Structure formats: C-alpha cells, structure tokens
Amino acid sequence: MFFIMISIGIGALIGAFTNALAIKMLFRPFKSWKIGSWQVPFTPGLIPKRRSEIAEQLGHMVENYLFTAEGLKQFIEKSGIRNQLLEKLQLNIQELVQQNQTVKEMMNPFLSEEWKAKIKGMIQQKALDYLSRDEVRAKSLVDFLSEPALIKIEDRLGQLSQMFIQEIKDFLHSLKGKVWLDSIVKQLFEGKRMISFLAGMLLEGEQIQQKLLSYFDQILEKPDTQQVFQTFLVNEWNQMKEKPIGDWLDDFDPILHTQLEEILEKGLEKAQNLPFQQVIDLLNKHNFLERAYHWFFELFQEKMDKIFSYLSIAEVVKTEVNAFSLEEFEKMILEITNRELKMITYLGGVLGGFIGLFQGVLFLFFK
C-alpha cells in the first residue's frame, strides 16, 4: 500500500511539473540558447518563435471576425449609442453656451491665423468653382429662389418705392438738398439776365427754393409717382430675375475675386463676433444640429465598409503585436488565463496520479 501511495505521489508530481513546464515554455526562453553553433532544442519558446505568424493570424482574426464594419453597424443600432452621443453632444454645447463667449473667442484656442486663412481661401475657391460650372451659369435667379421668396421680393417692391420717395423728400429738405436746389436755380438763370432780373424782382432766392420744394413735394406725394417708381422697379426686377447667372458673372468678372474676398472677409468677421449662444439658438431654431448629427451618422454607416478597408485593421494589429514587449505580453496572457492555466497544472497532477496508481497496481500484480 505504501508503494502505491509513493507511486501515485511521484506520478502526480511529474504530471503537474511537466504541464507547468510546458506552459512556461510557451513564452520562455525569449531568445534561442546556443552551445557553440548548436541551438538548444525548444528555444526560444513557442510564442516568441512564432511571434510574427501569431501577429499576422491575430490581425486577420480581428479584422474578419471581431472588429468588422457589419458588427459595428449592429452594435450602433442595438446599443443606443447614437442617441447617447447626441445627448452628450447637446450637454457639451450647453456647457460652452454658458461661458458667454463669442464665436471668435470659442475658436481661437483651436484655429490659428494660418488655418483661418486656409479655410477662407478654401471657401472662396469652392465658391468660384461652383459659380464657374456651366449648369450654374445657365440658371437664373428664378431657379435658385423658391416661390415664396419670389413672392416676398415682389411684395417688398411697393415698400421699396415708398422708401425711395421718402429718401428723395428727406434729401430735398436737408441742408445738402437746399444747396443742390440753389445750384439748380443758378444754373437755370445763368446767361438769362432778363429772366433773372424779373425773378429777382418778384421772388427772393429762398422763396424760389421753397416754391421748388413745394412743387417737388406735390409731385412726390401723388399716387401716380409711387406707381411710376413701382412699375419701374417691377420691370427691372422681371429682367433681372430672368437674366442668366453667367451674364451677371461676366459683368462683374474683373472685380469678382476681389468682391468675393471682401464679402467672405466681412461675413467671417461678422460671424466670429456673434455670441456663441446666438449661433446655437439660430441652429436649434431650424433643428440644424440634430439633423446634421443624424446626417453624419448615416453617412458614416454608409461609408463604413470603405473606411474599414482604408484602416487595414489586420496590419495595425500585426504591427502592434510585433511591437509589444514579450515580458508584458506574457504577463498579460498569464493574468487573463491564470485560473485556467492553474487548472491545467492541477489536471496534469491528477492524470499523473492516476498513471502512478495504475503503474503501482500493475507492479504489485506481476511481482
């Protein structure tokens, strides 16, 4: 009986030791051992020896089975991360709004003057490229403006005629207008001494101006005058809205680049000085931020397959695994699989014990 117990103990010890040694030899030694020109068998360990092959296979496994475009799409749909990110974005925007900064103050930490110039140049070039297209040049304002916008413009033409008439009256009654009237009177009587003498006898210079002002006021206040202005504006507008964009661009071609640059400069300067809260309120009024966010997500999902093909995940994983320290790699694997590796060691001891028991019984039986 004592012999059988010794046999079981030795078998268990050998089984546990060999399994523990096999596990250790997966990583150790990290480098090959040599005695002269002879390389010691089983050196380096299995994983260091096959490191590049493992890295390549691991990269393909991650790319083809673990981190795939289809898997990411399903995760986005099922996890609700899309709505969670939107809520997080809205909270971050609210925190920025509470800082009471302008757009310029908000963007200064992120955009240098060089980048601002690049953005302005890019917008300008995009605008010029767009306006130079044949299909754009062939269109008129009618093609670009909606029906409600055209109706609104035509309704405003009546108000515009009233504004012109009022501006003319204000000018005539101003100091500059009176000086202008005085010069007109002098031009009328210049070289006509008899008429000038008679007019001087009947009226003084200031009275002549008042008479002319009264006459102009009567003309300007007549409904027919406003109708003439309105008819003129409507006719001009009808011609303008049907005129091809290309003709407009040709008329302004010599100064188009300069004008476009000035418009962009003024527009960007005005936009930068707006309070950030005002910009966000304007965007929220038209639900722009949420629509832009969902549009971006849908575009991202549509282009996901193409994005993944550009990423070359397998190559990234392979490079990272090859760059990983073998000591750290061993430590990571052992920490993850520590319990299972211990069970393998114990299993080796159990199997070795059974083999020892079997050998002890056979030895006693045939003794």
Side-chain angles (χ1 to χ4, degrees), residues 287-317:
N287 203 26
F288 177 80
L289 287 176
E290 188 171 345
R291 287 191 289 114
Y293 173 81
H294 288 301
W295 172 84
F296 170 78
F297 240 100
E298 289 168 4
L299 180 65
F300 175 69
Q301 287 181 298
E302 288 176 8
K303 303 294 183 181
M304 198 174 291
D305 292 327
K306 197 171 185 179
I307 293 171
F308 268 67
S309 65
Y310 287 141
L311 288 176
S312 186
I313 295 171
E315 192 63 31
V316 173
V317 173

Side-chain angles (χ1 to χ4, degrees), residues 58-70:
L58 186 60
H60 286 301
M61 182 183 69
V62 172
E63 183 177 67
N64 297 326
Y65 301 104
L66 298 181
F67 193 58
T68 63
E70 190 60 35

Side-chain angles (χ1 to χ4, degrees), residues 114-168:
E114 182 182 356
W115 271 103
K116 290 177 184 176
K118 286 182 179 180
I119 292 172
K120 187 176 73 173
M122 182 180 66
I123 295 173
Q124 181 179 351
Q125 190 58 47
K126 288 287 184 182
L128 290 172
D129 291 343
Y130 176 76
L131 293 174
S132 63
R133 296 178 184 174
D134 292 336
E135 62 270 21
V136 175
R137 290 176 58 86
K139 292 180 179 180
S140 63
L141 291 176
V142 177
D143 299 315
F144 284 98
L145 298 176
S146 63
E147 189 65 27
L150 291 170
I151 294 172
K152 192 172 184 178
I153 291 172
E154 291 173 1
D155 291 340
R156 290 290 178 89
L157 292 177
Q159 299 176 13
L160 192 60
S161 63
Q162 292 179 358
M163 185 183 72
F164 281 160
I165 291 172
Q166 187 60 47
E167 288 290 329
I168 294 171

Side-chain angles (χ1 to χ4, degrees), residues 58-242:
L58 186 60
H60 286 301
M61 182 183 69
V62 172
E63 183 177 67
N64 297 326
Y65 301 104
L66 298 181
F67 193 58
T68 63
E70 190 60 35
L72 186 57
K73 289 178 185 178
Q74 293 178 3
F75 171 76
I76 291 172
E77 292 298 326
K78 293 179 180 178
S79 64
I81 193 172
R82 180 170 176 170
N83 293 329
Q84 293 173 15
L85 289 176
L86 177 59
E87 291 174 3
K88 185 67 175 177
L89 175 65
Q90 291 171 337
L91 286 174
N92 289 338
I93 290 174
Q94 288 303 316
E95 290 176 1
L96 293 174
V97 166
Q98 291 173 2
Q99 296 179 12
N100 295 322
Q101 292 182 321
T102 63
V103 174
K104 188 175 184 179
E105 292 171 339
M106 191 72 64
M107 298 304 295
N108 271 342
F110 309 102
L111 289 178
S112 63
E113 292 299 324
E114 182 182 356
W115 271 103
K116 290 177 184 176
K118 286 182 179 180
I119 292 172
K120 187 176 73 173
M122 182 180 66
I123 295 173
Q124 181 179 351
Q125 190 58 47
K126 288 287 184 182
L128 290 172
D129 291 343
Y130 176 76
L131 293 174
S132 63
R133 296 178 184 174
D134 292 336
E135 62 270 21
V136 175
R137 290 176 58 86
K139 292 180 179 180
S140 63
L141 291 176
V142 177
D143 299 315
F144 284 98
L145 298 176
S146 63
E147 189 65 27
L150 291 170
I151 294 172
K152 192 172 184 178
I153 291 172
E154 291 173 1
D155 291 340
R156 290 290 178 89
L157 292 177
Q159 299 176 13
L160 192 60
S161 63
Q162 292 179 358
M163 185 183 72
F164 281 160
I165 291 172
Q166 187 60 47
E167 288 290 329
I168 294 171
K169 289 174 68 176
D170 292 342
F171 171 75
L172 292 175
H173 287 272
S174 67
L175 180 61
K176 289 184 179 180
K178 290 178 180 179
V179 172
W180 177 75
L181 282 175
D182 185 57
S183 65
I184 293 296
V185 172
K186 288 179 180 179
Q187 289 177 15
L188 286 174
F189 293 143
E190 187 177 356
K192 300 176 182 177
R193 296 179 180 178
M194 182 60 68
I195 297 175
S196 178
F197 174 75
L198 293 175
M201 290 180 60
L202 298 173
L203 298 169
E204 295 180 357
E206 188 174 345
Q207 289 176 323
I208 295 174
Q209 287 183 12
Q210 291 298 326
K211 288 289 184 181
L212 286 174
L213 274 176
S214 177
Y215 175 70
F216 284 138
D217 286 343
Q218 290 177 11
I219 293 175
L220 293 172
E221 288 172 1
K222 286 182 178 181
D224 292 344
T225 304
Q226 182 178 342
Q227 187 62 41
V228 168
F229 270 96
Q230 187 169 348
T231 302
F232 171 77
L233 291 173
V234 169
N235 290 336
E236 287 297 314
W237 166 244
N238 288 334
Q239 293 178 20
M240 288 169 59
K241 70 181 182 181
E242 298 294 341

Side-chain angles (χ1 to χ4, degrees), residues 257-272:
H257 289 73
T258 305
Q259 288 294 319
L260 187 57
E261 186 174 355
E262 290 179 1
I263 291 170
L264 285 173
E265 186 71 37
K266 292 178 181 178
L268 289 173
E269 186 65 29
K270 186 176 180 181
Q272 288 177 14

